[in-house]
């Protein structure tokens, strides 16, 4: 089981399940850390190598 925010592995006592209801669909259940964590950084723009 992994946290959906920070991608770290979790044990059963460290995890919290949250129901995420979809506006037009069935929705889903996500697993996150009980203690608030920081999301992993994601690249939002292309990386230029300066060639």
């Amino acid at each position: 089981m992994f946290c959906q925010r920070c991608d770290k592995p979790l044990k059963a006592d460290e995890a919290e399940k949250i129901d995420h209801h979809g506006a037009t669909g069935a929705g889903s259940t996500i697993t996150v850390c009980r203690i608030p964590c920081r999301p992993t950084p994601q690249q939002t723009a292309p990386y230029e190598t300066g060639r």
Side-chain angles (χ1 to χ4, degrees):
M1 167 176 358
F2 290 89
C3 177
Q4 300 292 316
R5 283 190 207 130
C6 64
D7 296 330
K8 292 183 181 175
L10 297 172
K11 296 179 184 172
D13 60 338
E14 299 173 335
E16 179 179 350
K17 294 188 184 272
I18 298 175
D19 290 329
H20 187 270
H21 302 288
T24 59
S28 62
T29 302
I30 60 171
T31 305
V32 295
C33 297
R34 284 189 190 269
I35 300 170
C37 57
R38 300 188 87 186
T40 55
Q42 296 180 352
Q43 184 173 350
T44 58
Y47 179 74
E48 297 209 14
T49 58
R51 292 184 190 181

